[in-house]
Amino acid sequence: SSPHLVQVRERIRINGQPISKELFSKYFWLVYNRLEETKDPVHASMPAYFRFLTIMAFHVFLQEKVDLAVVEVGIGGAYDCTNIIRAPVVCGVSSLGIDHVSILGDTMEKIAWQKGGIFKPSVPAFTVAQPERPLEVLRDRAQERECPLYLCPELDAFEGGHRPLELGLAGAHQRSNAALALQLARAWLQRRGCWGKAGGRGRGGQTPSWPPGSQWGTCPPPALGELKEVPPGAELAGRPVPLAPVFRPTDAMIQGLRDTEWLGRTQVLPRGPVTWYLDGAHTTSSIQACVRWFRQAALNQDKPHDGSEVRVLLFNATGDRDMAALLKLLVPCHFDYAVFCPNFTQVPVASNADQQNFNVTLENALTRCLENQQTWTRLLEEKGGQDPWLPASLRAGGLLQPAPARGTLLLVPPAPRPLNSPALVFPCLAQALRWVAQGRDPRLAAPAATGAHPHPAASSGAVLLREAAAVRVLVTGSLHLVGGVLRLLDPALSQ
């Protein structure tokens, strides 16, 4: 799976756990040396990062004799290096969104074409409710590849007259993911020929972690509907793709859905007065889902009786994403402060090689943050504006102003007029988190006392954050950002 949040070993898991450092080192060098010995001497080059890790993952799963490998596509599907698997047991396509447009295309139909590239002849595939045209593209790709494609019924259909299925992952969008997971699991169990004990040793990939010692249901199984062959071009009940049959989930499936955990997705970390809400959403559809979850998890709660509540957005996004579109979706949450910083945990950035992006310089990343800061300010002005936070005399003369001698903790972009919103830019995550927590999270040190905050919003905000009865922080926009935050908030994840 990809990307990892804190350590690269998270990408290759067995029985839900990242492989050990010893195992990772052993297989890394084994694969590296084998490739080095056999590479083309004329066009001598090693596979790129993601391709190398994909080769290594397959090697690990083969050598460790896993019963089942769950492989998440990197980007797209058709041309992704994970797509060399010729005969998987089953394929699944979750809810489509606009992402990686420079690679996959700028429409849902183009992206659906790429995703449908994983379909294989005679291998069942499942998808969830999609917009009409992208679903038709998936159907056409399935027919072209002679792949039986089915639409997952809504999760409600699996509940029938029984108790509602509880999900360990928050958010309404996880219900379609759960429905897809049930169909994929059922397909694999049917392939094994029995709904008896199964699961064995291997469940590789960044699947949500199953509860230890969980068992599948016992034979004989509940009655299952059969997947029927569908004539080419046939439409059932007005749907371009036939519905998969509904079945009664086994006790183990019910337990698996309930006990699922997934770091960095709708994750809540309460730390006394400071509560961190982490979600690696980075597309318009996933940010919309994140906002719905955050409103339900944080904003619907009663305001503290003994003091104020401060809401903080910590945001960064990478790649070719439309930052303004993502930020616009977050405005209705009414954040008191918006904090922007690169995905680097520390400056200098060499503190953790696993989380260093060698394709992005610190200056490029900071420039992007300053653009986000200006975009956020403009969005607030368009929504009705706020009282100016900066005096007219305050101006910043360059990217890294004010000077380090003043104890720089945040950056202010050159501007023809002062910023009039509490939007702050920090050069790294450690400084941003320390400012937000103000020493009230026991895992984070208080911000350095040397030098006053050069930004009035930072100075006044520090007072409010220290005195607030509740501080609610939403971290979103990038899985790499969430990973860096998790590394600082929970150092055990780096062990």
Side-chain angles (χ1 to χ4, degrees), residues 244-265:
V246 175
F247 57 90
R248 183 176 177 183
T250 65
D251 290 344
M253 286 178 168
I254 294 170
Q255 180 188 352
L257 294 177
R258 184 181 62 240
D259 295 348
T260 298
E261 295 177 350
W262 205 352
L263 293 182
R265 276 79 167 181

Side-chain angles (χ1 to χ4, degrees), residues 466-488:
R466 282 195 296 267
E467 295 179 352
V471 178
R472 307 194 191 282
V473 190
L474 175 62
V475 183
T476 192
S478 163
L479 278 168
H480 303 287
L481 175 77
V482 168
V485 169
L486 274 173
R487 179 173 181 263
L488 293 170

Side-chain angles (χ1 to χ4, degrees), residues 391-457:
S393 59
L394 182 62
R395 293 291 185 275
L399 179 64
L400 296 179
Q401 292 294 327
R406 293 185 58 185
T408 300
L409 279 180
L410 57 154
L411 310 171
V412 182
R417 55 188 175 75
L419 296 171
N420 66 343
S421 71
L424 315 176
V425 175
F426 290 86
C428 68
L429 275 166
Q431 292 188 17
L433 294 189
R434 288 187 194 117
W435 180 82
V436 171
Q438 289 295 318
R440 305 181 74 188
D441 184 324
R443 302 284 180 92
L444 296 171
T450 57
H453 291 300
H455 195 304

Side-chain angles (χ1 to χ4, degrees), residues 71 73 90-94 115 118-119 124-128 149 180 184:
V71 179
V73 171
V90 63
C91 296
V93 176
S94 57
K115 301 285 186 180
I118 67 171
F119 296 156
F126 297 88
T127 189
V128 297
L149 175 65
L180 179 59
L184 298 179

